[in-house]
Amino acid sequence: MSSKRIFLLFINTMLFINGHSQTAKKYADQGYAKIELEEYRSAILAYDKAIAINTKNAENYAFRGFSKFKLADYKGAIADYTKAITLDAKTTNYYATRGSARAKLNDYKGALSDYNRVINLEPKNPFAYYIRGYTRMNLNDNTAAIADYSKAIQLDPDFKDAYVNRGKLKNKMKDYKGAIADYSKVIAMDGTDAMAYYMRGNVKSRLGDLKGSKADHATAIKLYPKIENLYKLTDSKED
């Protein structure tokens, strides 16, 4: 084959590849626009087309997986994120969302494995420790969960939800003073958090501080009157 024919073949091949790449991008852009509009079924259809043209783009699988996640198709989301990970093993969001999908299916051990990977990739991400702590709560590994919440707080001292969940676990493990300290921190950050007052009031009652308990419950009810319908103000209630 002459050098001219080889050159022309090369040019035609490149034009073919580039044309397909542009078409795949067009569908991917359409899919992303549908996600922004929360039209997830339409987004999936667009990403189906993009993936049919280009099977090597991790983002397209991830965005299709996200759309499936939003539609509660957790198995489908897991499959897409798994494919995305095979193509790009260093994007933490892929593991995090797959972990969330696994947790939705009560596969907490699988979720834990994904969150471990997120932490390996981003060891200074406070939310990664928080979500792993929550997963460990579901596995009844409370000591490890407290350690994760503590790490999240170390990395982000204003991480309110980490204090809340750590306080719940400390209360469950009968570390009442520790629980009160965590709920007090939440209240210092947000004085309108009725639930923090309510839960602190419950813990105070367990320590025999009935006056303090009554005051916290009264504040909780003032901030959110319906709280009485959600929880009974009794010492036997598990927080």
Side-chain angles (χ1 to χ4, degrees):
M1 184 180 294
S2 68
S3 59
K4 182 177 180 181
R5 289 186 65 187
I6 292 172
F7 176 74
L8 290 173
L9 180 62
F10 172 77
I11 292 297
N12 287 333
T13 301
M14 292 304 297
L15 288 172
F16 176 80
I17 293 172
N18 185 60
H20 273 61
S21 176
Q22 290 299 313
T23 303
K25 185 179 183 304
K26 180 187 74 172
Y27 288 126
D29 288 344
Q30 290 174 1
Y32 189 78
K34 293 299 183 180
I35 287 176
E36 290 193 317
L37 294 171
E38 299 183 2
E39 296 177 6
Y40 300 114
R41 295 187 190 282
S42 296
I44 289 170
L45 293 175
Y47 282 113
D48 284 346
K49 293 176 181 178
I51 290 167
I53 296 168
N54 180 2
T55 62
K56 301 298 184 181
N57 188 305
E59 268 195 355
N60 290 344
Y61 287 101
F63 281 124
R64 188 174 71 175
F66 175 79
S67 300
K68 290 177 180 179
F69 183 94
K70 297 298 287 187
L71 292 172
D73 177 10
Y74 302 122
K75 289 183 179 180
I78 289 167
D80 274 342
Y81 277 105
T82 298
K83 181 62 178 180
I85 288 166
T86 63
L87 295 168
D88 175 7
K90 293 185 177 181
T91 298
T92 55
N93 181 58
Y94 298 168
Y95 295 98
T97 310
R98 187 175 70 174
S100 296
R102 285 173 163 171
K104 289 287 188 180
L105 295 174
N106 297 323
D107 177 14
Y108 296 116
K109 289 184 179 180
L112 184 63
S113 176
D114 279 334
Y115 298 138
N116 285 339
R117 184 61 176 162
V118 172
I119 288 169
N120 286 339
L121 291 168
E122 293 187 15
K124 294 186 178 181
N125 183 334
F127 185 77
Y129 290 96
Y130 172 82
I131 196 65
R132 189 174 72 175
Y134 186 80
T135 302
R136 284 174 161 166
M137 280 178 67
N138 283 296
L139 289 169
N140 294 315
D141 189 357
N142 295 328
T143 300
I146 286 175
D148 275 341
Y149 289 134
S150 296
K151 183 65 176 181
I153 289 166
Q154 178 188 334
L155 293 168
D156 180 2
D158 296 323
F159 202 148
K160 177 183 167 183
D161 288 344
Y163 286 103
V164 170
N165 283 0
R166 190 174 70 174
K168 289 179 180 179
L169 286 177
K170 287 181 176 179
N171 178 37
K172 186 175 182 179
M173 298 176 75
K174 298 185 178 181
D175 176 11
Y176 299 131
K177 290 184 179 179
I180 287 173
D182 279 342
Y183 293 138
S184 295
K185 181 66 176 180
V186 173
I187 290 166
M189 287 189 285
D190 181 4
T192 66
D193 192 320
M195 194 58 65
Y197 280 104
Y198 172 78
M199 292 189 291
R200 189 177 70 173
N202 280 1
V203 181
K204 284 181 177 179
S205 71
R206 291 184 171 90
L207 288 175
D209 181 8
L210 300 183
K211 182 178 179 180
S213 174
K214 184 177 180 180
D216 276 346
H217 285 161
T219 301
I221 293 168
K222 183 178 179 180
L223 289 168
Y224 184 58
K226 290 183 179 180
I227 202 167
E228 284 187 296
N229 298 325
L230 297 176
Y231 296 93
K232 293 181 180 179
L233 302 180
T234 65
D235 292 343
S236 62
K237 176 67 182 178
E238 190 69 49
D239 300 321

